[in-house]
């Protein structure tokens, strides 16, 4: 869980609180920036694994900029 650079975005803590009860919150990872989230995802993803980004277009756009650079 992370927060894109947008004033209207929720904090990772707010996202965690809004997560459905069926999700195991012990396995959630929270970061303060999209860059930190991508770095953490790369560390946790096995070779040839897939990182799926979901969220707002602001988040996806920020991820695309980071990955394309």
């Amino acid at each position: 869980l992370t927060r894109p650079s947008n004033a209207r975005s929720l904090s990772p803590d707010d996202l965690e609180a809004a997560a459905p009860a069926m999700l195991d919150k012990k396995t959630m990872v929270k970061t303060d920036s999209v860059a930190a989230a991508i770095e953490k995802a790369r560390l946790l993803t096995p070779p040839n694994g897939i990182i799926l980004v979901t969220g707002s277009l602001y988040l996806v756009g920020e991820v695309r900029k980071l990955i394309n650079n």
Side-chain angles (χ1 to χ4, degrees):
L1 305 174
T2 193
R3 167 185 263 175
S5 298
N6 182 292
R8 293 179 25 192
S9 63
L10 293 175
S11 72
D13 289 333
D14 290 337
L15 290 171
E16 180 184 37
M22 70 175 117
L23 295 178
D24 184 2
K25 294 184 180 183
K26 291 179 276 182
T27 63
M28 291 183 187
V29 177
K30 296 185 282 184
T31 65
D32 293 327
S33 71
V34 174
I38 293 298
E39 182 178 331
K40 186 68 173 180
R42 285 181 169 153
L43 290 173
L44 294 172
T45 303
N48 299 318
I50 295 173
I51 298 171
L52 173 66
V53 176
T54 63
S56 69
L57 292 177
Y58 295 104
L59 174 66
V60 174
E62 200 169 326
V63 169
R64 284 188 62 174
K65 283 182 187 176
L66 290 167
I67 289 174
N68 289 332
N69 289 335

